[in-house]
Amino acid sequence: MLEALAIAALDPGYCQIMTPALPYWRLSGFYFFYFALLGATAPFFSLYFDHLGFSAARIGELLAIPMLMRCLAPNLWGWLGDASGRRLAIVRLGALCTLGAFALIFVGQSYAWLALVMALHAFFWHAVLPQFEVITLAHLREQSARYSQLRLWGSIGFIVAVVGLGQLFEWLGLGIFPWVIVSIMGGIVLGSFWVPNAQPETRTGQQEQGGFIAQLRRPGVLAFYACVALMQLSHGPYYTFLSIHLEALGYGRGLIGLLWALGVLAEILLFLAMAALLQRFSLRRLLLASFLMAALRWLLLGNLADHLAILLLAQLMHAATFGCFHVAAIHFVQRSFGARQQGQGQALYATLSGVGGAFGALYSGYSWTSLGPAWTFALASLAALIAAVIVATRLREEGP
């Protein structure tokens, strides 16, 4: 499967990715390890904390902490990256400190200590991706539509982690979870030192756009960022409790890992087609479709996840709710800010994602027990629907 995807990604007749100047495997290798870490944590962190005996409310609080760090860390590192221009140094420092901070989990496993570990490692982890996105787009230059075919290797890393670890934890138990996470973080560190640097080019006319705040106040930009927060808010129950929800419905951990992987496989296929979609449809239409699909997806997961066919359909919708949304959002940010504000623009995207994700994890943690899965996912659906209305009414229609 991976060989087929590699051939599809590298075939010049299909997407014409490879150019002599593009360090394709170095960039995609970093994405592979970075999102393998997400594949190891998103489905299994809640199960690990449940394994340690924490309640649903405490699990929600612990998983909200990294999201809260996304409210602070990306803006600080984004400003530093734009001011210094040393984005790759920030990526490498963030990767090293993420590994060192998470290794503190071996010292203790009380609620307070784990909260500290979650806060420290997330502060540095969230420094990494926004700066790396700027570096990637700088390497791509005017061919930014090819971003999705680099980013798909992150999704492949996610699949490898979620499928492999689902089986591994079923065989060996969740006690090995911290060792697995530390190993993947080591891969991120090595990947960061393999990537060459690049600086974004200043495009014609951007010098007169004003500073970051002036560009942020352009029509539709603030509305877009509000929708980013709402999308991540709607994902709160999914990332926090999907594995627990499916386990309660009788699905095994191995199958749960495969179901997570199915969603990311759909995301990969979407990435392969995204360049063509960007040429055919406006960013506004792609974002609107993503939010409408999210509203439907959460209703299906909350009410009909005990039916395997419906569950499979809901997981295939991940192509829209994450894949299409993320690529369209990255392009929206790039179009909205000048070269000297790219880091802050991507950082604000990560920050608003963190704000929405934190509140999503918190509300789902408290509502899961009191309201139940159906109502918790219904609230998530409402958040996505509100975002769809904002996109339809506040974002300008621009050509592809």
Side-chain angles (χ1 to χ4, degrees):
M1 181 64 192
L2 296 184
E3 290 182 5
L5 288 172
I7 293 171
L10 295 174
D11 182 3
Y14 178 79
C15 57
Q16 296 182 336
I17 285 182
M18 290 295 290
T19 64
L22 181 64
Y24 177 80
W25 290 113
R26 299 187 186 192
L27 295 169
S28 58
F30 183 89
Y31 280 118
F32 180 92
F33 281 107
Y34 186 91
F35 286 96
L37 180 59
L38 186 60
T41 54
F44 301 115
F45 242 142
S46 60
L47 292 176
Y48 178 66
F49 290 144
D50 184 64
H51 166 76
L52 295 179
F54 292 108
S55 66
R58 289 290 178 263
I59 292 172
E61 290 166 1
L62 287 170
L63 294 183
I65 291 172
M67 300 294 184
L68 289 172
M69 284 297 103
R70 289 180 74 177
C71 307
L72 171 65
N75 285 323
L76 172 62
W77 296 110
W79 170 83
L80 185 61
D82 284 340
S84 66
R86 303 187 62 185
R87 295 185 177 89
L88 186 57
I90 291 174
V91 169
R92 292 169 175 171
L93 176 65
L96 283 168
C97 292
T98 298
L99 173 60
F102 188 83
L104 295 174
I105 199 172
F106 297 110
V107 176
Q109 294 183 332
S110 67
Y111 173 78
W113 186 257
L114 288 175
L116 177 63
V117 171
M118 296 294 279
L120 282 177
H121 96 270
F123 178 79
F124 293 105
W125 190 35
H126 292 313
V128 172
L129 188 60
Q131 301 308 307
F132 193 79
E133 299 280 32
V134 176
I135 293 169
T136 296
L137 291 169
H139 278 293
L140 290 170
R141 299 188 183 277
E142 72 279 359
Q143 303 176 59
S144 61
R146 302 190 311 183
Y147 163 83
S148 58
Q149 284 111 24
L150 281 169
R151 174 60 180 78
L152 69 86
W153 285 98
S155 302
I156 293 172
F158 187 102
I159 286 182
V160 170
V162 79
V163 173
L165 295 181
Q167 294 295 332
L168 186 65
F169 293 146
E170 197 152 319
W171 293 334
L172 302 179
L174 287 161
I176 65 168
F177 177 81
W179 294 100
V180 170
I181 300 303
V182 164
S183 300
I184 297 173
M185 288 178 175
I188 295 175
V189 171
L190 293 177
S192 71
F193 281 91
W194 193 34
V195 171
N197 199 13
Q199 296 291 345
E201 289 185 328
T202 300
R203 296 187 295 272
T204 303
Q206 284 188 332
Q207 296 91 335
E208 288 77 39
Q209 288 182 344
F212 176 71
I213 299 299
Q215 294 173 49
L216 184 63
R217 295 176 63 184
R218 293 172 59 199
V221 177
L222 286 174
F224 160 77
Y225 279 113
C227 292
V228 168
L230 285 169
M231 179 61 106
Q232 295 307 314
L233 175 70
S234 79
H235 276 74
Y238 178 75
Y239 286 126
T240 308
F241 288 110
L242 179 66
S243 296
I244 292 176
H245 181 45
L246 296 182
E247 198 169 53
L249 292 174
Y251 297 98
R253 289 175 185 168
L255 180 56
I256 291 172
L258 290 173
L259 288 166
W260 278 88
L262 176 63
V264 183
L265 178 60
E267 168 191 314
I268 290 173
L269 296 176
L270 187 284
F271 282 153
L272 290 172
M274 198 65 195
L277 292 176
L278 286 168
Q279 292 178 351
R280 184 171 182 180
F281 300 103
S282 68
L283 294 179
R284 176 177 174 271
R285 292 187 180 184
L286 292 172
L287 289 169
L288 180 59
S290 300
F291 285 116
L292 291 174
M293 292 287 281
L296 175 59
R297 186 187 184 198
W298 307 142
L299 291 178
L300 294 178
L301 286 177
N303 295 276
L304 298 171
D306 53 331
H307 300 281
L308 182 58
I310 299 297
L311 180 57
L312 293 174
L313 175 62
Q315 286 303 89
L316 289 174
M317 289 181 180
H318 194 71
T321 64
F322 177 79
C324 182
F325 169 76
H326 176 69
V327 175
I330 289 292
H331 282 77
F332 187 96
V333 172
Q334 187 194 32
R335 289 188 186 183
S336 300
F337 295 97
R340 299 183 66 179
Q341 290 81 32
Q342 286 287 311
Q344 293 173 81
Q346 296 292 350
L348 186 59
Y349 171 60
T351 295
L352 269 297
S353 297
V355 171
F359 281 107
L362 283 173
Y363 98 77
S364 60
Y366 293 123
S367 68
W368 196 259
T369 302
S370 58
L371 298 179
W375 277 105
T376 301
F377 275 108
L379 292 172
S381 179
L382 178 61
L385 191 59
I386 292 172
V389 173
I390 294 174
V391 168
T393 58
R394 300 300 302 273
L395 264 64
R396 295 184 301 177
E397 186 73 55
E398 296 181 359

